[in-house]
Amino acid sequence: MAVEETGVIHQVLRGDVDSFRVLVERYQKPVIRIIKSITNDSDMSQDIAQDVFLTAYKKLRTFDFARSRFSTWLFTIAKNKSLNALKKRRPVYMSRLPDKTYGRDPCDDLSCKELFDRLDSIFLSLPNRQKMAFILAEFENLPHAEIAQIEGVKIGTVKSRISRAKEKLRAALERLDGDIL
Amino acid sequence: MKRQEVYDNWKDKNRQIDTRRSFTDEVMDRVYQYQQDRSRRFFKFRWLMDLILEHPLGQAVFVVIGAITGLIRVAFVVCVFLGT
């Protein structure tokens, strides 16, 4: 897949604009997931994701194959754009509070929904750094070294951020154990 | 439901993400627009260069400007070396 991806990038750099579509289709979901984890706003996430891809296209010539994988480079752009958007964001009013969850619920019963809601709110209350590390490790299955590169920190820091996030979620689950489970 | 099961289901739920159907097309439209603007800017520059260079007077002005710029740079370097 990486070899094929390298070929696609070279095609885009040679002027084949249409080939960029392959990269957009391949990475749109992980990019939106990362942005969503930081901004917690579906519509905003998709708008920022569009900016991320446009920036990636504009700066593709500066992407260095020897330094990182394309996904690492793209996710770094996504992280930076999301943090910038958060800084600029106006206060959110009650009438347009963002969605709490991302996808469809795999469970239908009420207790399950309640559990997910509580886990969501605990996840959303995590510091951005922990959320980001958790998303990249658990949802995108990226190796710790790659996460460290995206976050610009040491591998040990990434490990501790992930374990702290997991600890908080585990503690929440334990608390809910008596309540609902 | 067991704790691990709840956690795994919650992760699955958050892994699913709904994107607008037109997402890719919207991105590609912006990319084509950017590419078009860039080409337009480049052709404007080319057009200006062609306009200047196809007239002998334009060529002369171009050479004079180049020569003056070169002389100023040489003078600047000389000043730096002489410390004045």
Side-chain angles (χ1 to χ4, degrees):
Chain A
M1 195 160 105
V3 176
E4 188 207 327
E5 192 169 277
T6 308
V8 171
I9 294 167
H10 280 303
Q11 271 176 296
V12 177
L13 289 174
R14 277 196 296 267
D16 179 5
V17 183
D18 285 329
S19 295
F20 193 69
R21 181 179 286 273
V22 177
L23 300 173
V24 177
E25 273 165 3
R26 182 172 297 168
Y27 288 111
Q28 58 177 274
K29 288 199 176 184
V31 164
I32 293 172
R33 249 193 312 261
I34 288 167
I35 299 169
K36 178 95 198 268
S37 76
I38 297 174
T39 62
N40 185 34
D41 185 325
S42 288
D43 293 330
M44 193 185 181
S45 308
Q46 304 214 13
D47 293 341
I48 298 170
Q50 286 196 10
D51 283 343
V52 168
F53 283 109
L54 188 66
T55 304
Y57 178 80
K58 287 181 188 172
K59 309 242 176 213
L60 200 57
R61 238 162 251 290
T62 66
F63 166 61
D64 185 355
F65 290 92
R67 275 185 64 192
S68 70
R69 287 171 57 182
F70 177 72
S71 56
T72 311
W73 182 71
L74 188 69
F75 294 163
T76 309
I77 298 175
K79 183 197 86 174
N80 292 337
K81 288 245 176 219
S82 318
L83 292 174
N84 284 342
L86 261 194
K87 277 183 209 158
K88 288 182 200 158
R89 184 151 74 170
R90 292 164 303 190
V92 180
Y93 299 103
M94 289 305 282
S95 55
R96 53 180 297 271
L97 271 176
D99 329 328
K100 246 165 131 195
T101 57
Y102 309 155
R104 281 168 237 100
D105 281 354
C107 72
D108 288 329
D109 61 282
L110 202 65
S111 63
C112 185
K113 275 206 171 82
E114 204 180 330
L115 270 172
F116 285 175
D117 277 352
R118 289 206 202 172
L119 280 175
D120 277 337
S121 62
I122 284 148
F123 178 71
L124 291 174
S125 69
L126 294 176
N128 275 336
R129 287 168 176 178
Q130 285 179 24
K131 256 193 282 188
M132 184 76 183
F134 182 86
I135 286 265
L136 293 173
E138 296 289 304
F139 297 164
E140 308 310 330
N141 298 318
L142 292 188
H144 290 163
E146 215 174 315
I147 302 172
Q149 214 177 344
I150 293 170
E151 293 285 271
V153 294
K154 288 180 181 161
I155 295 180
T157 312
V158 168
K159 283 182 185 167
S160 88
R161 283 178 187 175
I162 296 168
S163 80
R164 259 182 251 152
K166 280 184 175 174
E167 231 168 71
K168 283 175 192 165
L169 290 167
R170 201 176 299 130
L173 266 174
E174 276 164 20
R175 273 200 308 275
L176 295 169
D177 220 356
D179 267 1
I180 299 167
L181 290 176
Chain B
M1 210 176 349
K2 285 181 183 147
R3 219 177 282 166
Q4 188 60 41
E5 212 180 322
V6 172
Y7 179 68
D8 290 340
N9 283 344
W10 174 76
K11 271 196 342 188
D12 283 344
K13 177 186 71 84
N14 282 353
R15 222 175 257 133
Q16 293 164 1
I17 194 131
D18 293 321
T19 50
R20 287 197 290 260
R21 253 176 201 209
S22 55
F23 182 84
T24 309
D25 291 330
E26 284 170 32
V27 172
M28 290 311 291
D29 282 348
R30 290 180 68 180
V31 167
Y32 291 129
Q33 187 62 48
Y34 167 75
Q35 196 61 36
Q36 235 175 20
D37 290 348
R38 224 173 70 152
S39 312
R40 211 172 291 147
R41 273 201 302 274
F42 175 72
F43 283 119
K44 263 188 192 165
F45 177 72
R46 281 285 305 268
W47 174 79
L48 190 69
M49 290 304 286
D50 288 346
L51 193 77
I52 292 171
L53 295 178
E54 75 186 12
H55 296 287
L57 190 65
Q59 288 173 6
V61 169
F62 203 71
V63 170
V64 168
I65 290 171
I68 290 171
T69 311
L71 280 173
I72 290 171
R73 290 197 65 182
V74 168
F76 180 73
V77 171
V78 169
C79 284
V80 168
F81 271 105
L82 294 177
T84 53

